[in-house]
Amino acid sequence: ARPDPAARADVRTVITAVIDEARQMAEERQVTLAIDTVDVGCVRCTLGILSSLISNLVRNGVKYVGEGPGKTVCVRALRQGSFMRIEVEDNGPGLPAAMEAAVFEPYVRGPDNHQPGIGLGLATVKRVVEAHGGRVDVRSVARLGCRFGLELPCAAGGPEEGADVEKALPPPS
């Protein structure tokens, strides 16, 4: 399907809803979910699309952050010119060497992966983001974690355009 050029989704609303939705899964795995900075703004896609994209990244972070104490998945959104950059970062084991380039390809899964799935989530995120005029990336450091990022065009108009950036949205209680 083609993106709706008139669609707009409020980033703060979606991030808060996704974190609330993923909280039970995180608690079951003893993972702390956190919201870092969320800049004010809307992106050019529907609420459902943005929710699906962020939810995929957050759930992957919770699923793959590993075991042990102190595991955290953090979400932030930063306006960068005409794009909104959304990052989901974890402090897990990171990706195996040389997986960064392949992780967004269909059916690619890490070795010794015992989590359910067939390797289509990140490939779908990439295709949807690119169809909406954006891009995706990942940075991984062994034993320090991963940071998955997606950038989507900001929606024009509305009170957020030209507004001061609102910082440090506290995590939901």
Side-chain angles (χ1 to χ4, degrees):
R2 294 186 186 210
D4 177 357
R8 53 187 291 125
D10 181 76
V11 173
R12 173 175 293 188
T13 299
V14 172
I15 288 175
T16 302
V18 167
I19 292 296
D20 286 345
E21 173 193 313
R23 195 162 305 282
Q24 181 177 349
M25 176 185 179
E27 287 171 358
E28 289 169 2
R29 295 193 36 86
Q30 299 178 347
V31 174
T32 300
L33 285 177
I35 298 175
D36 190 5
T37 301
V38 177
D39 288 352
V40 173
C42 292
V43 293
R44 289 191 334 221
C45 66
T46 66
L47 283 170
I49 291 289
L50 186 59
S51 179
S52 179
L53 295 171
I54 297 171
S55 181
N56 186 294
L57 296 181
V58 168
R59 289 179 174 281
N60 275 0
V62 171
K63 193 188 310 186
Y64 297 111
V65 72
E67 302 299 327
K71 298 301 179 188
T72 303
V73 173
C74 182
V75 182
R76 69 184 60 84
L78 307 166
R79 187 165 182 152
Q80 298 178 338
S82 61
F83 284 83
M84 184 70 76
R85 178 169 178 79
I86 300 165
E87 296 177 341
V88 177
E89 186 170 7
D90 68 63
N91 63 349
L95 292 169
M99 282 255 341
E100 286 184 38
V103 75
F104 290 104
E105 297 302 316
Y107 307 110
V108 170
R109 303 199 62 203
D112 302 322
N113 187 338
H114 304 294
Q115 297 294 334
I118 59 172
L120 287 178
L122 292 175
T124 301
V125 166
K126 179 182 179 189
R127 291 195 65 171
V128 171
V129 167
E130 288 176 350
H132 284 79
R135 55 193 165 261
V136 297
D137 60 73
V138 62
R139 176 187 272 171
S140 177
V141 178
R143 296 177 304 283
L144 295 178
C146 288
R147 182 178 66 218
F148 285 86
L150 63 87
E151 297 177 14
L152 288 168
C154 292
E160 73 285 344
E161 191 172 87
D164 289 335
V165 173
E166 215 173 299
K167 298 282 186 181
L169 176 68
S173 51

